[in-house]
Amino acid sequence: MLVAIICTDKPGAIEIRKANREAHLAYIKNTGVVTQAGPFLDVDGTMCGSLLILDVADRDAAQAWADNDPYAKAGLFADVRIEQWKRVVG
């Protein structure tokens, strides 16, 4: 099952993001379920959120992945959405 995890950073939280970036990237690599990922950028080009596409068994697995993301554990996000996603192109 493909899911999109759509995250919005808390305002002014760029230092939290920077401090936890390496752990977040290692988590992506080590879990092996992320097929695509990258940050959202604000008008100044500063990272301000995340989009991840996961290939997981079910929504509970997606929620568990999101809950254990180092960014989430560090309190980076103001909002996290998990949406089932259907690939049409790519």
Side-chain angles (χ1 to χ4, degrees):
M1 167 180 174
L2 294 175
V3 297
I5 300 180
I6 305 155
C7 309
T8 305
D9 292 3
K10 291 177 181 173
I14 189 64
E15 294 306 319
I16 295 172
R17 177 175 278 276
K18 288 178 181 178
N20 291 279
R21 186 166 172 77
E22 291 305 316
H24 167 74
L25 294 174
Y27 180 65
I28 287 173
K29 180 180 178 184
N30 293 336
T31 57
V33 298
V34 178
T35 65
Q36 296 182 26
F40 291 116
L41 306 175
D42 66 15
V43 295
D44 297 320
T46 302
M47 295 179 285
C48 61
S50 299
L51 171 64
L52 304 109
I53 305 296
L54 279 58
D55 190 351
V56 292
D58 54 32
R59 186 174 179 83
D60 288 342
Q63 185 67 60
W65 192 96
D67 291 345
N68 287 295
D69 180 354
Y71 279 166
K73 287 184 171 188
L76 175 62
F77 302 128
D79 180 65
V80 176
R81 288 179 33 216
I82 298 175
E83 302 285 346
Q84 189 169 349
W85 184 68
K86 179 181 177 182
R87 182 187 327 257
V88 176
V89 177

